[in-house]
Amino acid sequence: MHSAGLVLHPKRDSAPAVEAVLGWAANRGIKILGIAEEIVRLDCKAVGVSAEELATQSDLLVSLGGDGTMLRAMRLADGQRAPVLGVNLGKLGFLAEVDVPDLPGALSMIDEHKFTVEPRLAVDAVIGGRTVTAFNDVAVVRVPGDGGALVAVRVNEEQFVSYAADAVIVATPTGSTAYSFSAGGPITSPAVEALLVTPAAPHSAYGRGVVLSVHDTLALEVLSNSGRLAVEVDGIVEGYVQPGERIELCARPSAARVVRLGRTTFFQRARRKLRLSDSAEISPSP
């Protein structure tokens, strides 16, 4: 490994984690890069580069923050060779692999090649002629005061179902534990290649979600009696759509890769971080 890049949370204190990475790198002759405008607030020896240079010049990206920072690092890694190691500085940190105290050990495991990389699917959405990419989800969401989200779901150019809801979410398996989960969608292993369509607070006759193959084409049509809708991409508003407009969505497998050290499984993390519990009628397993 010749270089590694840092992706920092804009506000949280990442200094202890940065020092751990710099100490590891100094002993191995590895250059540490950081986005210039992010590392300027830290007194560290990382080399400032642009976001594009960070993505293309790094052999490993280290995300220091929460799930939002991890998603940004995955977007930077989209189509590049560098896998992403997630280090949790927040509370939930569902996507992260390690907490700060475990970072030195994790870096040693990377040195010893005791890790695997896990491909992650992205979804590309075309909004008004512009393509945006999400690793969690794309959601069309009602704007308060503008009426509900009335949306037709078209699969392979055939209308399948129409929803009247507060939002309609198109999630990747990575995003199945985010907005889609809170709306009642299924928890989905990241090893599955699929898109999940989940209505939030549906008040239509059919209110269940749909699981689609990555080979299916998908479009969301805003119906004529819908309100104006915000388009959220990984939780960030990227634009608005009006009645009569349409959003084309396409799954893209293996868009980015994340580092896994084998300490926990996806299902162990999901059970712990989402605080899942069994029915009160079921006796605990021995």
Side-chain angles (χ1 to χ4, degrees), residues 65-142:
D67 285 350
T69 308
M70 184 69 177
L71 289 169
R72 186 161 61 90
M74 291 166 68
R75 285 193 290 271
L76 288 169
D78 189 351
Q80 305 298 328
R81 67 180 187 277
V84 182
L85 173 65
V87 183
N88 180 34
L89 302 184
K91 295 179 181 179
L92 181 60
F94 189 90
L95 300 178
E97 182 68 5
V98 296
D99 295 322
V100 174
D102 303 318
L103 180 54
L107 294 170
S108 294
M109 292 181 71
I110 290 173
D111 274 342
E112 298 165 6
H113 302 284
K114 295 179 179 178
F115 69 96
T116 59
V117 292
E118 183 177 270
R120 291 299 177 102
L121 179 148
V123 57
D124 295 327
V126 179
I127 308 167
R130 182 171 58 99
T131 300
V132 293
T133 297
F135 279 92
N136 256 4
D137 47 47
V138 176
V140 287
V141 184
R142 69 180 294 268

Side-chain angles (χ1 to χ4, degrees), residues 3-278:
S3 61
L6 299 174
V7 183
L8 307 182
H9 189 279
K11 294 181 180 178
R12 290 183 183 142
D13 180 15
S14 56
V18 170
E19 287 305 312
V21 174
L22 288 171
W24 163 76
N27 293 330
R28 292 157 180 81
I30 296 171
K31 181 191 295 186
I32 297 299
L33 309 175
I35 298 174
E37 55 266 32
E38 292 183 3
I39 63 171
V40 70
R41 60 188 174 90
L42 295 175
D43 182 18
C44 71
K45 296 181 180 178
V47 178
V49 294
S50 68
E52 293 75 16
E53 290 170 327
L54 185 80
T56 58
Q57 295 179 16
S58 298
D59 299 310
L60 171 73
L61 289 180
V62 182
S63 167
L64 304 176
D67 285 350
T69 308
M70 184 69 177
L71 289 169
R72 186 161 61 90
M74 291 166 68
R75 285 193 290 271
L76 288 169
D78 189 351
Q80 305 298 328
R81 67 180 187 277
V84 182
L85 173 65
V87 183
N88 180 34
L89 302 184
K91 295 179 181 179
L92 181 60
F94 189 90
L95 300 178
E97 182 68 5
V98 296
D99 295 322
V100 174
D102 303 318
L103 180 54
L107 294 170
S108 294
M109 292 181 71
I110 290 173
D111 274 342
E112 298 165 6
H113 302 284
K114 295 179 179 178
F115 69 96
T116 59
V117 292
E118 183 177 270
R120 291 299 177 102
L121 179 148
V123 57
D124 295 327
V126 179
I127 308 167
R130 182 171 58 99
T131 300
V132 293
T133 297
F135 279 92
N136 256 4
D137 47 47
V138 176
V140 287
V141 184
R142 69 180 294 268
V143 176
D146 280 10
L150 279 66
V151 177
V153 177
R154 296 187 66 86
V155 181
N156 300 326
E157 294 302 326
E158 296 181 15
Q159 181 163 335
F160 177 66
V161 65
S162 295
Y163 292 117
D166 281 357
V168 177
I169 306 149
V170 178
T172 67
T174 300
S176 71
T177 52
Y179 193 0
S180 177
F181 174 76
S182 69
I187 294 173
T188 307
S189 165
V192 174
E193 293 188 343
L195 290 180
L196 318 176
V197 183
T198 308
H203 38 94
S204 48
Y206 180 82
R208 297 181 183 272
V210 182
V211 179
L212 301 176
S213 161
V214 294
H215 304 295
D216 292 322
T217 62
L218 171 63
L220 301 180
E221 291 184 350
V222 185
L223 299 177
S224 59
N225 49 347
S226 174
R228 180 178 68 120
L229 306 179
V231 183
E232 294 184 359
V233 179
D234 284 347
I236 299 171
V237 176
E238 289 283 355
Y240 295 85
V241 286
Q242 305 286 346
E245 294 188 310
R246 170 178 170 136
I247 300 174
E248 306 279 352
L249 300 113
C250 179
R252 189 156 48 84
S254 302
R257 301 177 299 152
V258 300
V259 172
R260 289 299 179 209
L261 302 173
R263 293 176 174 174
T264 58
T265 68
F266 166 78
F267 299 102
Q268 288 171 332
R269 292 192 300 275
R271 186 173 178 87
R272 182 179 75 252
K273 299 208 172 193
L274 296 176
R275 299 182 180 180
L276 304 182
S277 58
D278 299 322

